[in-house]
Amino acid sequence: MVASSGLLVKKQNCFQQKRNGNTKRSGSIVLSAEPGNLKNMNSYKFSGLCNSKAVKMTVDEETTDDKTKVTISMGLKIKKNCSTKPSKSWSTIPLNKDFRRTAKCVVSQTEAQAYRTDLKDAALARWAALHRFAKVKKGLAKPAVVKKGRGGKDE
């Protein structure tokens, strides 16, 4: 009997991070840090390991003197048989234009070419978050305000 790769990595793999909730109501959550997983959820749909087509976003930081250069790139999984060299199984597209043009590029690579139309919203959300992170690192924007919970002791 042949087992699906999704079933093999569902319960346990080296990318899983289990977070416990504080109460029964909130429960526990299982996250995944694998490359190609846009939402960091432990599910077959978003898995970069199990799917033959996946999208990933990467950030590279370079600090020189007092300037920080942040580059964001998008990777698409290609169909080559790269079982011996997994790093060669991704084609990389640099995302270095303005926000609107880069968002158009993300949509055209995921949805317009019928690559993974179901990942369009997740890819755009990840791109928006990384773009905001890059602006904060460059000093062009303030960090996002974190909302505090109700009745915390830190208030």
Side-chain angles (χ1 to χ4, degrees):
M1 184 169 133
V2 177
S4 171
S5 60
L7 294 174
L8 292 174
V9 298
K10 180 180 179 181
K11 296 277 185 186
Q12 184 65 35
N13 62 44
C14 65
F15 297 109
Q16 273 188 359
Q17 299 173 355
K18 297 180 181 180
R19 304 286 164 97
N20 291 328
N22 294 331
T23 63
K24 288 183 181 178
R25 188 173 178 184
S26 63
S28 62
I29 187 169
V30 180
L31 302 173
S32 180
E34 63 194 36
N37 192 334
L38 291 173
K39 286 223 175 200
N40 293 341
M41 293 173 57
N42 187 33
S43 68
Y44 179 77
K45 177 181 177 180
F46 297 110
S47 177
L49 297 174
C50 301
N51 291 310
S52 60
K53 294 180 178 180
V55 179
K56 73 174 181 176
M57 301 273 183
T58 56
V59 177
D60 296 323
E61 291 184 56
E62 295 177 12
T63 306
T64 56
D65 298 332
D66 55 337
K67 290 186 177 182
T68 303
K69 183 179 180 185
V70 179
T71 57
I72 304 170
S73 60
M74 178 174 74
L76 300 173
K77 207 170 194 183
I78 53 179
K79 291 189 177 186
K80 285 184 184 176
N81 185 9
C82 298
S83 59
T84 58
K85 296 181 182 178
S87 63
K88 301 280 186 187
S89 65
W90 295 91
S91 67
T92 306
I93 302 165
L95 303 175
N96 52 9
K97 299 206 183 295
D98 62 273
F99 187 85
R100 185 180 52 83
R101 287 185 180 156
T102 304
K104 184 179 175 184
C105 173
V106 170
V107 170
S108 71
Q109 292 297 320
T110 56
E111 187 179 46
Q113 292 184 359
Y115 185 74
R116 283 287 302 269
T117 58
D118 58 330
L119 293 181
K120 179 189 85 159
D121 293 335
L124 286 174
R126 176 57 68 99
W127 155 246
L130 292 179
H131 180 73
R132 177 74 182 176
F133 169 76
K135 285 177 70 173
V136 169
K137 277 294 188 180
K138 291 177 186 175
L140 301 175
K142 294 180 181 177
V145 178
V146 178
K147 294 182 182 178
K148 294 182 180 177
R150 293 172 42 188
K153 295 178 183 176
D154 297 329
E155 297 178 320

